Amino acid sequence: MPDQPPRRILVTGVGATPGFGLALSLLRLGHRVVAVDANPLAPGFFLGDVSPYRVPLAKDPDYPEAIIGLCRALTVDAIVAGIENDLPPLLDLRPRLEADGVRLWLPDAKSVHDCIDKARFHQAVAAHGIPTPRTWKPDDLNLVPAGIELVVKPRSGHGSQGVHTVTSLRHARVLCELIPGAIVQERIYGTEFTADCLVDRDGRASAILRRRDLVKGGCVAVSTTFEDQAVHDLVVDTLRTVRAQGLCCVQGFITDDGRITITELNVRIAGGYALTEAAGADLVGQMVNGLFGLPVDHDLLTYRTGVFLTNYMETLRVGDVAELEIAAAPKGAVA
């Protein structure tokens, strides 16, 4: 298969680990990256050779106009979201973007919302027999069994933002009052894993499994690739259940007695996917193929087991805030 010609790809959320890493991988593949974020100090703005632009927050009514304007001004070929927050407005903009020749690779709207809303995800997979933590809404806490540890978290969001573990139902009730749109789940113990996945347009999925050996602030700090047919098969069943497509990641646990539990599915690349590529899987390259309508070569998504990765904090740039110049996205009319 011939190499992809250089494309101009807009990556959102370059202040978060997934978006930052995705921008870096695309640069290494020779593509031109338009890096966007609402934070003028987003780390991805300081990668060499990106075109950095500030955009409003995804929930801001000016966000659609900024994205359309930027895509038109720079003749962007495609958009890849780096954080969940950008998915709902991009879904709404998809007809306008596609009319301008800008590609997105996402499943249908119901599939996306079933994944970014953790309560909906629980309902969707539980209805198909996929093992997942017991989950309750704030109004149903009287149904929570006594004596179990709980996790209270927002229904949407990314990383560990707003996530709390408690042993008291009373504490869970208080947190539900403090966290907007909270849900409560039973806490699962065991080996935590992530599957980095790519689902092609025919529904065939490749999944690269890695243990989350050490997690800090919701982001994996140490991880190791592994192989387990039962985990792989359950991940693929989960992807099929929610009709996932394109780039995504599945998280779960293997308990000490061997049970497998799926906790979430993100319709974006995972923050620790660098291990997947280090283990031999061409995850981003094959994503770009699928994004532009070319076949995904699943033979290039195989990987070596027993490969580890450790992350550390690195200083990217030090400078004077007063001298920082990150252009705001140009505004474009959204009909």
Side-chain angles (χ1 to χ4, degrees):
M1 181 183 298
D3 292 336
Q4 277 275 351
R7 309 282 193 173
R8 182 171 281 110
I9 300 175
L10 187 151
V11 179
T12 75
V14 297
T17 303
F20 176 91
L22 185 57
L24 185 59
S25 289
L26 289 168
L27 288 171
R28 289 171 175 165
L29 289 171
H31 299 291
R32 297 184 290 273
V33 174
V34 179
V36 306
D37 201 281
N39 183 356
L41 297 177
F45 286 160
F46 304 106
L47 290 170
D49 298 325
V50 303
S51 299
Y53 286 89
R54 288 182 292 110
V55 296
L57 291 169
K59 63 183 179 182
D60 191 298
D62 291 333
Y63 179 89
E65 187 178 5
I67 293 295
I68 290 289
L70 194 55
C71 288
R72 289 175 176 171
L74 300 181
T75 319
V76 167
D77 295 310
I79 297 177
V80 182
I83 55 174
E84 281 84 352
N85 298 350
D86 294 314
L87 292 172
L90 288 176
L91 278 172
D92 293 340
L93 281 176
R94 180 154 54 180
R96 296 288 303 162
L97 291 167
E98 292 177 347
D100 286 344
V102 181
R103 291 176 174 264
L104 288 169
W105 192 13
L106 294 170
D108 62 75
K110 183 179 185 304
S111 175
V112 172
H113 285 288
D114 280 350
C115 293
I116 62 178
D117 184 323
K118 293 176 175 59
R120 286 179 56 165
F121 178 75
H122 167 78
Q123 292 172 345
V125 298
H128 287 81
I130 303 291
T132 188
R134 288 177 290 178
T135 300
W136 302 271
K137 296 179 182 178
D139 292 340
D140 299 327
L141 294 187
N142 60 305
L143 303 176
V144 177
I148 66 170
E149 292 188 54
L150 302 169
V151 178
V152 185
K153 57 186 176 182
R155 289 178 63 156
S156 60
H158 59 277
S160 63
Q161 296 177 0
V163 177
H164 303 270
T165 57
V166 297
T167 56
S168 164
L169 188 56
R170 179 170 59 89
H171 291 162
R173 292 186 189 278
V174 172
L175 287 168
C176 285
E177 294 179 0
L178 298 175
I179 299 172
I183 60 169
V184 178
Q185 292 183 324
E186 63 174 324
R187 187 176 184 182
I188 305 296
Y189 284 93
T191 300
E192 190 175 6
F193 68 86
T194 292
D196 296 310
C197 307
L198 188 62
V199 185
D200 66 26
R201 296 182 188 275
D202 294 324
R204 181 181 175 186
S206 283
I208 296 89
L209 307 179
R210 50 186 172 85
R211 292 192 304 272
R212 293 162 63 88
D213 300 312
L214 178 62
V215 179
K216 294 183 177 181
C219 295
V220 63
V222 180
S223 53
T224 310
T225 56
F226 72 101
E227 186 175 6
D228 185 307
Q229 192 63 48
V231 173
H232 175 275
D233 291 348
L234 185 59
V235 165
V236 172
D237 286 346
T238 305
L239 295 167
R240 187 180 302 114
T241 294
V242 298
R243 303 180 314 285
Q245 192 174 103
L247 197 57
C248 47
C249 61
V250 178
Q251 291 186 13
F253 285 86
I254 306 170
T255 63
D256 292 340
D257 59 2
R259 290 179 294 114
I260 308 162
T261 300
I262 301 297
T263 54
E264 64 182 73
L265 192 161
N266 300 306
V267 193
R268 58 153 174 83
I269 203 163
Y273 82 92
L275 176 57
T276 280
E277 297 208 315
D282 181 30
L283 188 66
V284 176
Q286 295 309 307
M287 180 275 292
V288 174
N289 280 349
L291 179 61
F292 287 97
L294 296 176
V296 170
D297 188 345
H298 290 272
D299 289 340
L300 296 181
L301 292 170
T302 57
Y303 65 103
R304 303 189 312 277
T305 60
V307 180
F308 76 92
L309 177 144
T310 63
N311 286 321
Y312 72 101
M313 189 71 71
E314 181 180 6
T315 300
L316 283 177
R317 183 74 60 86
V318 175
D320 191 333
V321 172
E323 298 176 359
L324 184 65
E325 296 183 3
I326 304 294
K331 294 182 178 180
V334 182

